[in-house]
Amino acid sequence: MVGCCPPMDLMRSEEMQLVQLIIPLESSHLTVSYLGDLGLLQFKDLNSDKSPFQRTYANQIKKCGEMARRLRYFREQMANAGISTPPKSFTTNDIKVDDLEVKLGELEAELIEMNANNGKLQRTYNELVEYKLVLQKADEFFHSAQRTAAAQQREMEAQQTEESLDTPLLMDQDKSGDPSKQVQLGFFTGLVPREKSMPFERILFRATRGNVLVRQTTVENPVIDPASGEKVEKNVFVIFYSGERAKNKILKICEAFGANRYPFSDDFGKQAQMLKEVSGRLSELRTTIDAGLLHRGNLLQTIGDQFEQWNILVRKEKSIYHTLNMLSMDVTKKCLVAEGWCPVFATKQIQDLLHRATLDSNSQVEAIFQVLHTRESPPTYFRTNKFTSAFQEIVDSYGIARYREANPTVYTVVTFPFLFAVMFGDWGHGLCVLLATLYLVAREKKLGSQKLGDIMEMMFGGRYVILMMAIFSIYTGFIYNEFFSVPFELFGKSAYACRDPSCKDATTDGLIKVRDAYPFGLDPVWHGSRSELPFLNSLKMKMSILLGVAQMNLGIMMSFFNAKFFRSCVDIWFQFIPQMIFLNSLFGYLSFLIVLKWCTGSKADLYHIMIYMFLSPTDELGENQLFSGQKMTQIVLLLLALVAVPWMLLPKPFIMKSQHQSRHQGESYVPLHAEESLQVEATNGGHGEHEEFEFSEVLVHQLIHTIEFVLGAVSNTASYLRLWALSLAHSELSTVFYDKVLMLAWGYNNVIILIMGIIVFIFATVGVLLVMETLSAFLHALRLHWVEFQNKFYFGDGYKFLPFSFSLIGEEEE
C-alpha cells in the first residue's frame, strides 16, 4: 500500500477524478466486490429516476433482506439464551449465497418448531405447577373445614341430649322433611393474581348479591403464569356457589380477571391420587423440557459460531446489489455502465482490480476504465489515521472542506489542545486526565471490539484528542505552577525572599530579589500573596490577546495559501493584504505594545493608548509613550486601517465584473478555470455550477464580508478573552476546593472529619474540575476554532468522499 500511494498532502485534499467503468454483466458482481474491498471508489447513482422496485436487482436485495431478517431472529434467540457470538471478523468462508439462503431457511424452520414445542411444554408445565398448588392449598382448606365441622357436630350432639322432650319431636319433624328441597352447593378452585384478589372477591360478592362463599390463601413464592410466561404473585381461591346463574356469572368473572381454574374433587382419596399423578407428570415434563432446551442450546451455539461470518456475507451481498442498482444497463443489455469519483493515486489499483475480476470470473470481455472530464465539483477526501481522524471530525462537524482548499486540521492538531490547556492549566488535573486516557489507548484493541455506551463511545473515539489535551494541560500547568492549586519549586528556588519573617503572609512589599528569575513558568512566591490575583489577571488577559491575534493572523495567512493555490490574484490583492493591514494596524499593534511593555517594564496604560489612538490621535502621549515616534506610528496605522476598509469593499466586485465581461465577450465561451477566483465559485454555489454573473449579488456579498471582518476583528479579539476568564475560574475553583475543603478538614485534627474532607475533595475535583470544567474548556476551544479561526479562510461548503467500502458497512438497519 505504501508503494502504491504517494505521500499525503497534509494541507490539501486528495486530487480526485470522475471515472467511467463499462463492466461485462458476467463479471459485474465480482468487480463490485473487489472494489468494495479496495474502498476507493464512490459510485454515482445513474438510476435516480427509478424507484427501488423498478431497478434491475430488486429481487436479489429482497432475498438479502429476508436473510438479514432471519439473522436478526437468530441474534434475538441467542441473546435470550445468553449465547455470545465470536468477535467480528471480515473474513468469510467459501459458502455460496444461494446455499446460505437455503441453510438459513432450514435453521429458522427448525428453530421455530423447537420454540413452539418448547412453548407448549412450558405452558403445560406451568399449568401443572399451578394445579399442584391448588391441590395442596385446597386440600388443606377442605381438611381444615372437615375438622371444624366434626367438632361442631360433636358439640351439637352433646347439646341435644340435655334438651327437653319436645325438642326431639321438632328435630324429627325437620329431619323428615323433603330431601329434594335441600340445597346442593358447587365450587370452583383456581389461582388469581394477588393484586387482583380483593377486586375479584368484591365483584363476585356484588354480582351474586352475596350468595357466594370465597376463601383465599396466599402462595408463598411467585409462580410463572401460563399465559404470559412471567412470574406473578398469586392466591389460591375456593368459591362455593348455588345455582346455574351464579355459576355462569362466576365463570365470566374468572375469565375477566385472568383467574386460572382447575378441577378439584371433594373426595379425599381422589385428591391424593390426583396430586400423585400431577407430580409424576411434572417430573416427566421437566425431563422433556430440559432435553429440548439442551438441543436448542446446541443448535444456537452452532449458529453462533458462524453467525458473524454469515452476517458479514449477507451485508456484503446486499451492499453489492445496492451498488449494482446504481449502475445503468447499456443498450445491448450485456454490460453495466458505472460512474464514480476516485483519488488519482488509485487509478492503477482500480485498473488492476478490473483485470483480476475479468480473469477470476472467466469473462471473455475485459472491463473498460476511462476518465471523464467534468465541471462538477469533486468530493473532498482527506486520508487520516487513528490519531488524526478525531481532529478531522472536529473540523468536519463545522463543514466539509471545499475541494482542495486548505485543511484546518493540520493546525488544529496542535492549536486545539493548546487553547484547551490554556483554560485548563493545572498539571495535577492534567495528570489525572492523562492516566485515564492512557488506559483507553492501551486497551484500544479490546475496547474497540466491544459495544460501549454513548458517552464511553464518544470518549474512546476522541481518546487521542483527550491525550493531547492532557499533555498540553500538564505543560501549561508547569507554566502556571499549579498542582491542584498548590505551587512547587520544581525548576529551582524562587527569585524572591522576605526581608523579615513577618512579610511572608502579608504583602509582596517586603520581598527582595535575591537570585536570578525563576527559570520556567510562574514564580511560586506569587501564589498566596495579595497581588496574586491582579498579577495573574494582567498576565492571562494579555496572553489571551497575544494568542488570539496570532491565531487570527494564521487564519488570514491560510486564506493567502488558498488564493495562491487557486491562482486568484484578486483574492490576494483585495482580500488578504487589506485584511492583514487592518487586523495588525489595530490589534497587531496592541500585541506589539504588550510585548514591549513586558520587555521595558514601563507603567504605560495600554487602555488609554488604544482609546485615544482613535479619539485624539494627534495628542501627546506623555507618560504613556513607549518608544520614540510612537505618535506618528499610531497615526499611520490608523490611516492604514481606514484605507483597508474600502480596499476590501470596492475593487474586487468591479474586477470580477470586468473579468466576466471579457470572458463572455461576443458570446464566445471559453473554459472557465476554477483557479481564477474563489469568490466566483462561492457566489455561484461552490459546487462548480457556473450561473449567470450578478454584479449586485457580488457587491452585496462583498459588503457583508467586509462588515463581518471589520466588526469580527474587534469581537473575535474580545472573544479570546475567554481564555483568561476560564483559566482564572479553573484556578480559583481549585483553590477553593483545596483551602476550604481539604485544608479545613485537616485543621480539625479529627480522623473522621479528615476522611470526609478527603472524600468531598475527591468528588468535587472529579465532578467539577475534571468533568464539568473539561467539557466547558473543550466547548470554548471548539468555538474559538470554528468561529474566530476558521471564518478567516474556511468555506466548508464541500461534500465528503464516501466510497463504497466493506470496511464501512455498519449494522444492518432495522
Side-chain angles (χ1 to χ4, degrees), residues 54-181:
Q54 295 174 328
R55 304 199 181 196
T56 307
Y57 296 95
N59 291 332
Q60 285 83 350
I61 291 178
K62 185 178 179 181
K63 289 181 180 179
C64 291
E66 181 64 19
M67 287 191 288
R69 182 198 61 79
R70 289 169 178 164
L71 289 172
R72 289 196 299 272
Y73 174 71
F74 294 155
R75 175 176 290 172
E76 292 174 1
Q77 295 297 313
M78 288 188 293
N80 294 336
I83 297 175
S84 59
T85 58
K88 291 185 179 180
S89 172
F90 285 92
T91 59
T92 57
N93 48 20
D94 296 332
I95 186 171
K96 295 182 179 180
V97 177
D98 294 336
D99 297 337
L100 179 61
E101 182 183 8
V102 175
K103 188 171 185 178
L104 292 180
E106 294 174 351
L107 290 173
E108 183 189 28
E110 183 178 358
L111 194 56
I112 289 175
E113 183 179 0
M114 292 175 65
N115 288 339
N117 294 335
N118 183 67
K120 292 178 181 178
L121 292 174
Q122 195 65 46
R123 182 185 178 92
T124 304
Y125 180 82
N126 294 333
E127 289 177 348
L128 289 175
V129 169
E130 288 193 345
Y131 191 16
K132 184 176 181 180
L133 289 172
V134 169
L135 290 174
Q136 292 173 343
K137 297 293 183 181
D139 181 65
E140 294 175 2
F141 171 75
F142 273 88
H143 275 83
S144 176
Q146 185 184 32
R147 289 193 296 270
T148 304
Q152 291 178 351
Q153 182 68 24
R154 288 193 297 271
E155 185 179 350
M156 290 177 61
E157 291 176 355
Q159 290 178 356
Q160 288 176 2
T161 57
E162 298 175 359
E163 291 182 353
S164 62
L165 295 175
D166 294 334
T167 303
L169 295 176
L170 293 174
M171 293 184 65
D172 292 341
Q173 186 177 358
D174 292 336
K175 292 179 182 179
S176 63
D178 190 358
S180 63
K181 293 182 180 181

Side-chain angles (χ1 to χ4, degrees), residues 101 141 199 203 230 298 441 504 532 629 635 681 751 796 800:
E101 182 183 8
F141 171 75
I203 293 296
E230 298 178 355
N298 293 334
V441 173
K504 185 174 182 181
E532 176 189 9
I635 294 174
E681 193 172 354
V751 177
K800 197 170 186 178

Side-chain angles (χ1 to χ4, degrees), residues 470-499:
I471 293 173
F472 276 95
S473 296
I474 295 173
Y475 169 71
T476 55
F478 285 140
I479 293 178
Y480 296 157
N481 201 346
E482 290 188 2
F483 178 82
F484 296 99
S485 78
V486 180
F488 286 91
E489 294 183 343
L490 295 175
F491 302 100
K493 294 289 184 180
S494 172
Y496 300 91
C498 289
R499 294 179 186 271

Side-chain angles (χ1 to χ4, degrees), residues 173 209 244 304 307 341 357 480 583 680 752 773 779 781 783 801:
Q173 186 177 358
R209 299 184 180 181
E244 284 296 321
F307 178 82
W341 296 100
Y480 296 157
L583 180 65
V680 173
I752 298 177
E773 280 287 307
L779 294 176
R783 183 241 152 79
F801 176 61

Side-chain angles (χ1 to χ4, degrees), residues 644-661:
V645 176
W647 191 353
M648 276 187 286
L649 175 61
L650 297 176
K652 186 174 178 178
F654 289 98
I655 293 174
M656 292 173 63
K657 180 181 180 181
S658 175
Q659 289 178 347
H660 180 79
Q661 289 175 347

Side-chain angles (χ1 to χ4, degrees), residues 525-559:
V525 76
W526 288 104
H527 290 276
S529 65
R530 290 184 179 181
S531 55
E532 176 189 9
L533 198 57
F535 172 74
L536 290 181
N537 275 341
S538 176
L539 173 67
K540 292 182 178 180
M541 180 174 63
K542 293 171 182 176
M543 183 181 64
S544 300
I545 293 175
L546 292 177
L547 292 174
V549 173
Q551 189 175 34
M552 288 190 291
N553 272 289
L554 175 62
I556 299 174
M557 286 298 299
M558 295 282 283
S559 70

Side-chain angles (χ1 to χ4, degrees), residues 261-284:
R261 295 176 294 102
Y262 297 97
F264 187 79
S265 174
D266 54 0
D267 186 349
F268 294 119
K270 291 183 178 180
Q271 291 175 15
Q273 183 181 357
M274 292 170 65
L275 184 60
K276 183 178 179 181
E277 291 177 358
V278 168
S279 299
R281 290 186 60 190
L282 280 173
S283 178
E284 294 174 359

Side-chain angles (χ1 to χ4, degrees), residues 471-716:
I471 293 173
F472 276 95
S473 296
I474 295 173
Y475 169 71
T476 55
F478 285 140
I479 293 178
Y480 296 157
N481 201 346
E482 290 188 2
F483 178 82
F484 296 99
S485 78
V486 180
F488 286 91
E489 294 183 343
L490 295 175
F491 302 100
K493 294 289 184 180
S494 172
Y496 300 91
C498 289
R499 294 179 186 271
D500 54 77
S502 62
C503 75
K504 185 174 182 181
D505 298 325
T507 176
T508 57
D509 292 341
L511 295 175
I512 58 173
K513 190 171 183 179
V514 296
R515 57 181 66 90
D516 292 336
Y518 193 69
F520 183 81
L522 198 64
D523 195 312
V525 76
W526 288 104
H527 290 276
S529 65
R530 290 184 179 181
S531 55
E532 176 189 9
L533 198 57
F535 172 74
L536 290 181
N537 275 341
S538 176
L539 173 67
K540 292 182 178 180
M541 180 174 63
K542 293 171 182 176
M543 183 181 64
S544 300
I545 293 175
L546 292 177
L547 292 174
V549 173
Q551 189 175 34
M552 288 190 291
N553 272 289
L554 175 62
I556 299 174
M557 286 298 299
M558 295 282 283
S559 70
F560 166 76
F561 292 125
N562 271 338
K564 184 179 179 181
F565 179 82
F566 290 108
R567 301 174 187 174
S568 176
C569 295
V570 175
D571 291 313
I572 294 176
W573 287 102
F574 303 104
Q575 182 169 306
F576 163 70
I577 293 178
Q579 285 182 358
M580 288 292 289
I581 291 174
F582 183 85
L583 180 65
N584 291 290
S585 295
L586 302 179
F587 300 104
Y589 176 63
L590 174 61
S591 302
F592 168 74
L593 293 180
I594 290 173
V595 176
L596 185 61
K597 183 179 177 180
W598 282 347
C599 294
T600 60
S602 172
K603 295 184 178 181
D605 188 352
L606 298 185
Y607 295 107
H608 185 278
I609 293 175
M610 294 304 298
I611 291 173
Y612 283 93
M613 178 179 173
F614 292 92
L615 297 181
S616 303
T618 58
D619 289 355
E620 294 297 329
L621 296 173
E623 62 180 7
N624 290 322
Q625 184 166 339
L626 288 166
F627 60 93
S628 60
Q630 181 177 351
K631 175 183 173 182
M632 183 56 64
T633 302
Q634 292 182 175
I635 294 174
V636 172
L637 291 175
L638 185 60
L639 291 175
L640 285 175
L642 293 176
V643 170
V645 176
W647 191 353
M648 276 187 286
L649 175 61
L650 297 176
K652 186 174 178 178
F654 289 98
I655 293 174
M656 292 173 63
K657 180 181 180 181
S658 175
Q659 289 178 347
H660 180 79
Q661 289 175 347
S662 62
R663 188 180 299 119
H664 297 285
Q665 189 175 8
E667 297 294 330
S668 61
Y669 292 93
V670 179
L672 176 63
H673 297 287
E675 299 85 358
E676 290 187 3
S677 176
L678 285 175
Q679 192 61 49
V680 173
E681 193 172 354
T683 306
N684 294 333
H687 285 268
E689 299 176 1
H690 300 280
E691 302 172 355
E692 185 178 354
F693 182 84
E694 290 289 343
F695 176 73
S696 60
E697 290 184 8
V698 175
L699 183 61
V700 170
H701 184 275
Q702 189 64 24
L703 175 64
I704 294 172
H705 182 74
T706 303
I707 294 174
E708 181 183 9
F709 179 81
V710 172
L711 297 179
V714 180
S715 64
N716 293 165

